[in-house]
Amino acid sequence: MEKHSSLRPLQEVVLKTEFGAFLAGFSDHGLARLEFPEKKGRGRTAGAPAEHQVPARWVRATEAALQAMLNGVTPARLPPLDLSRGTKFQGRVWTALQTIPRGKTLTYGALARRIRSSSAARAVGGACGANPIPVLVPCHRVLAADGRLGGFSQGLEWKRSLLTKEGVRWAD
DNA sequence: AATCGTCGTTCTT
DNA sequence: AAGAACGACGATT
């Protein structure tokens, strides 16, 4: 068995969507990272040299799931997710995030309580920001306690867009 | 609106 | 190996 796949580089695959080209990073265990489209123009033309080393169904599942999520629809199924690359605490947060259903939200504080770290709301925010698979691991469903959006590492526009498509309303 | 408590992570010694 | 600094926070004043 591999001693620690953490250092091994991920196999990168470009995912073209109607919202731009995302970059998926796969480990031996599944999807480990998802990068958003580059800001201006400059699409991802990457040669994806190692694409053939990634199971085709993982790629297909990722594409389909991403496509669904970007349209506010719950994916029928997800590719295997490899969330093993974070700290223990981050792992708990990322796991908890996956239990928030479409159309629902939690506050950072509520999420903290859910993982039994009731006073760690702020740290939870940090872990959300470190979420390696945004969108599929729905960190956009976490709002601030005052009903406002809170932050989003990929830019608040994405958070607004995703939540709107999921029918969620928030405070300005 | 300003301040302070809290806690995991990251940067500095 | 500590300690300081830093946030996608929250409660208080």
Side-chain angles (χ1 to χ4, degrees):
Chain A
M1 170 177 304
E2 289 284 338
K3 54 192 295 193
H4 266 149
S5 56
S6 1
L7 294 191
R8 187 152 76 181
L10 301 175
Q11 314 287 348
E12 302 196 321
V13 177
V14 176
L15 306 178
K16 300 193 186 97
T17 77
E18 52 192 310
F19 299 94
F22 288 68
L23 185 64
F26 293 91
S27 73
D28 289 347
H29 302 109
L31 178 66
R33 188 158 54 87
L34 184 62
E35 287 184 18
F36 278 52
E38 305 287 340
K39 219 33 175 180
K40 266 289 209 184
R42 206 169 45 132
R44 292 198 194 275
T45 50
E51 180 162 354
H52 62 290
Q53 301 178 27
V54 178
R57 68 185 169 290
W58 288 10
V59 176
R60 285 198 311 267
T62 303
E63 284 171 337
L66 182 56
Q67 154 80 17
M69 284 297 300
L70 292 176
N71 287 295
V73 176
T74 302
R77 70 188 232 286
L78 294 177
L81 303 183
D82 179 3
L83 292 174
S84 69
R85 297 186 156 213
T87 66
K88 185 72 164 65
F89 180 81
Q90 290 169 335
R92 294 209 303 275
V93 172
W94 299 339
T95 297
L97 283 173
Q98 299 178 70
T99 70
I100 311 176
R102 190 206 99 113
K104 305 248 272 192
T105 62
L106 242 51
T107 66
Y108 293 95
L111 186 45
R113 295 192 294 271
R114 188 171 282 198
I115 64 171
R116 293 211 187 41
S117 300
S118 40
S119 53
R122 196 161 184 171
V124 163
C128 288
N131 171 18
I133 316 179
V135 188
L136 297 193
V137 175
C139 57
H140 60 278
R141 293 176 183 153
V142 187
L143 305 187
D146 61 4
R148 305 185 38 151
L149 273 187
F152 196 67
S153 48
Q154 310 301 325
L156 281 175
E157 289 309 317
W158 284 102
K159 190 168 185 174
R160 279 192 268 269
S161 165
L162 288 163
L163 288 175
T164 298
K165 285 167 188 157
E166 297 184 2
V168 170
R169 316 231 302 169
W170 62 91
D172 306 295

